[in-house]
Amino acid sequence: MKTMKALSMLAALSMLACTAGCSGNTDAKNDKPAEATTEAATEAVDVPELDGYSLLWNDEFSGNALDETKWNYEPHEPGWTNEELQEYTTSADNVFLRDGKLVIKAIKSDKNGKDYYTSGKVTGQNKTDFTYGKVVVSAKVPEGQGLWPAIWMMPKDESYYGQWPKCGEIDIMEVLGNDVSTAYGTLHYGEPHGEQQGTWGLTGQTYADSFHEYSVEWEPGEIRWYIDGNLYNTANDWFTAVQGEDEKPYPAPFDQPFFVQMNLAVGGTWPGNPDATTDFDKAEFEIDYVRVYQKPEYDTNVKKPEKVFREALEDGNFIFNGDFSEAEDLTDDVNWKFLLFNGGEGAAEIRDNMIVITSEKEGTEDYSVQLVQPDLPMIKGKKYRVTFDAYADEERDIIVCVSAPSAGWIRYLKDTTLKVTPEKQTFTYDFEMKEKDDNNGRLEFNLGHRGSTATVYISDVRVEEIK
């Protein structure tokens, strides 16, 4: 692989001014970083050249302090968003450079007799904003309940299309500290809130063991996510609108300058709060480098792809392999998929025209042990029926629903708790689709966090349109 020596800070900013003006149709929307006002000690670093790209800007964190010509501290009070517990500070205790790495550290202390948490967040807003490119970040995450490291992007002007989620958000990487074997890459947009998410799991290692490279390729009509060079998520169908108004022209909202930001949250609605097992001595989010590349030009004359809706089978069933006659791969994204999250442990096997789900640990969430089938066509105004047979080794609960992974995880069929027993039963649920058309409805069976690890047997699954 070709490499280039990373330039000194002032030379790099000079190069950025040149490359930012060479981006074809995106010239007007690229913003250059502010001129350097301080000097930082830097060392020459081999930065890979990428075919078809020029290096727009980078930070190898080889100086003595955060380079404030590229980054801002962004302080916030506790509870500012997502019910998170931390105060984001400008303290060098929370954000500092060490051994050529940026370290964002979460600290637990005491305030007014209660646990108090501080951490750090840095952003490139108004300094290293850009429109379209490839972002490459090498990072190592901390492990621990309630820790939530993130590398993500927001628009320079959040009000251009409207406040979140209308403005758009590109999450390059998120990892939950209690499940450091899974990383998430997500796109947020809308109104109503739309979301597309991919995951990349590790086996035999975790994202907390060593540094991994997280990357996003952002182009006018497509955004792609990679981890260590592995493509794991692609999005090209998004929108934004003010509620009740027409959608803005595609590819809005992802046609405006964005900036990179990184933070380590503590607690919140997604990861949950820290507990006695969380070791704050090791609560460090380490970033080795951030590199942003850009192509010489981008074709902005793109059209939103037509939605493709799955056709029902001859018998009217929208579920493929609903009779479990095929012992398919349950780890790929075709038809059935078995998933484990947040402490869930178990396995699934197709045999004798049914799927057998065994659980060793139920995990902390309903979806910790989960069987799903996506790509179900959900058309506004249509009525649908879900039917299946199920039994278990001993009486226990499971949850069934039809969710919307691309539409903020709303429910078309609400989460429905049902009791399965050693005797096989047939379950039937009808619902009317009341939201906008969606080609990615998802049937879910959730077996986690139900107070039981009894084996469950499911067969003859159907989703069909009814009058």
Side-chain angles (χ1 to χ4, degrees):
M1 179 180 293
K2 294 182 180 179
T3 60
M4 65 182 85
K5 290 291 184 181
L7 308 180
S8 70
M9 179 173 61
L10 291 175
L13 289 173
S14 176
M15 180 192 70
L16 173 58
C18 176
T19 56
C22 304
S23 53
N25 295 331
T26 67
D27 291 339
K29 292 183 179 179
N30 278 305
D31 290 56
K32 306 169 191 174
E35 291 298 322
T37 56
T38 60
E39 293 186 5
T42 60
E43 299 177 1
V45 178
D46 287 334
V47 177
E49 292 183 353
L50 302 182
D51 289 343
Y53 289 91
S54 296
L55 184 66
L56 185 62
W57 66 269
N58 68 297
D59 198 338
E60 308 298 314
F61 302 110
S62 54
N64 298 319
L66 186 71
D67 185 347
E68 293 188 59
T69 68
K70 299 176 182 177
W71 303 104
N72 311 292
Y73 296 90
E74 188 172 301
H76 284 289
E77 70 282 0
W80 166 65
T81 185
N82 301 317
E83 299 180 17
E84 296 165 17
L85 302 178
Q86 80 289 330
E87 174 191 356
Y88 285 133
T89 80
T90 60
S91 170
D93 293 333
N94 295 117
V95 180
F96 54 92
L97 268 59
R98 182 185 65 206
D99 300 329
K101 312 286 194 302
L102 170 65
V103 181
I104 302 177
K105 182 176 180 60
I107 298 172
K108 179 182 179 181
S109 61
D110 180 271
K111 187 174 183 178
N112 299 325
K114 297 181 179 180
D115 291 338
Y116 196 80
Y117 304 91
T118 60
S119 189
K121 179 181 183 183
V122 298
T123 84
Q125 189 172 21
N126 297 317
K127 294 181 177 178
T128 48
D129 315 279
F130 62 99
T131 307
Y132 307 131
K134 181 180 178 76
V135 183
V136 183
V137 183
S138 176
K140 180 182 177 183
V141 307
E143 182 173 9
Q145 169 61 38
L147 300 179
W148 183 6
I151 306 163
W152 50 305
M153 297 169 63
M154 287 288 287
K156 175 183 177 181
D157 180 5
E158 188 174 337
S159 65
Y160 188 77
Y161 287 114
Q163 296 300 305
W164 193 92
K166 295 185 288 295
C167 62
E169 174 183 326
I170 304 171
D171 295 333
I172 300 172
M173 179 278 281
E174 293 176 281
V175 173
L176 302 182
N178 65 336
D179 183 14
V180 289
S181 63
T182 302
Y184 302 80
T186 312
L187 197 69
H188 296 274
Y189 51 87
E191 186 171 68
H193 176 207
E195 176 181 305
Q196 297 184 48
Q197 185 175 82
T199 60
W200 186 257
L202 298 177
T203 302
Q205 58 178 317
T206 75
Y207 294 106
D209 294 337
S210 59
F211 284 83
H212 293 266
E213 193 171 77
Y214 308 92
S215 181
V216 154
E217 293 176 347
W218 168 30
E219 298 183 354
E222 188 168 278
I223 303 174
R224 299 176 291 273
W225 286 257
Y226 300 82
I227 292 181
D228 297 330
N230 299 292
L231 174 65
Y232 71 97
N233 190 26
T234 301
N236 55 24
D237 178 14
W238 57 73
F239 68 93
T240 197
V242 175
Q243 189 76 40
E245 297 184 9
D246 292 338
E247 293 183 4
K248 303 297 184 182
Y250 183 81
F254 302 106
D255 60 348
Q256 59 178 316
F258 274 64
F259 60 89
V260 177
Q261 57 187 337
M262 299 172 291
N263 61 275
L264 175 56
V266 179
T269 52
W270 191 15
N273 292 341
D275 59 23
T277 68
T278 310
D279 185 354
F280 278 89
D281 290 337
K282 299 178 180 179
E284 295 185 347
F285 182 25
E286 299 180 77
I287 299 96
D288 190 12
Y289 53 78
V290 179
R291 298 165 181 165
V292 177
Y293 301 83
Q294 197 172 66
K295 293 181 178 180
E297 60 181 5
Y298 290 89
D299 181 5
T300 58
N301 185 25
V302 294
K303 294 183 178 180
K304 187 175 180 178
E306 295 275 343
K307 283 189 175 182
V308 177
F309 288 82
R310 172 186 285 187
E311 296 286 342
L313 300 171
E314 290 184 1
D315 64 354
N317 193 3
F318 288 113
I319 294 291
F320 289 2
N321 198 26
D323 60 359
F324 299 103
S325 58
E326 176 189 347
E328 63 176 278
D329 184 350
L330 297 174
T331 64
D332 62 20
D333 293 320
V334 179
N335 301 338
W336 293 110
K337 188 169 187 176
F338 180 68
L339 298 162
L340 296 169
F341 299 100
N342 294 64
E345 294 183 12
E349 178 188 7
I350 294 176
R351 67 170 188 260
D352 302 326
N353 292 105
M354 60 184 173
I355 190 164
V356 182
I357 302 172
T358 55
S359 300
E360 297 172 12
K361 294 183 179 179
E362 61 176 309
T364 60
E365 308 294 335
D366 294 338
Y367 56 82
S368 290
V369 180
Q370 185 181 62
L371 177 69
V372 304
Q373 183 161 151
D375 301 326
L376 301 183
M378 296 282 106
I379 307 299
K380 185 175 182 177
K382 299 286 188 179
K383 295 180 179 179
Y384 297 90
R385 174 169 292 157
V386 176
T387 58
F388 57 92
D389 293 342
Y391 67 98
D393 282 348
E394 60 185 48
E395 186 175 293
R396 57 158 297 166
D397 291 346
I398 66 174
I399 294 175
V400 64
C401 73
V402 176
S403 67
S406 304
W409 297 99
I410 61 175
R411 299 300 198 251
Y412 303 137
L413 170 64
K414 67 179 182 179
D415 290 305
T416 303
T417 303
L418 56 112
K419 193 176 297 294
V420 289
T421 69
E423 181 180 351
K424 181 187 288 188
Q425 302 174 72
T426 298
F427 298 88
T428 302
Y429 303 98
D430 294 349
F431 66 96
E432 182 178 355
M433 172 62 177
K434 297 181 179 180
E435 309 296 334
K436 63 186 297 185
D437 294 356
D438 184 359
N439 62 349
N440 189 30
R442 188 169 88 157
L443 179 66
E444 299 182 10
F445 294 99
N446 292 304
L447 288 71
H449 195 50
R450 307 307 307 158
S452 174
T453 57
T455 299
V456 174
Y457 308 80
I458 299 172
S459 58
D460 292 322
V461 183
R462 296 183 60 84
V463 174
E464 56 194 319
E465 185 182 329
I466 59 174
K467 300 298 184 182

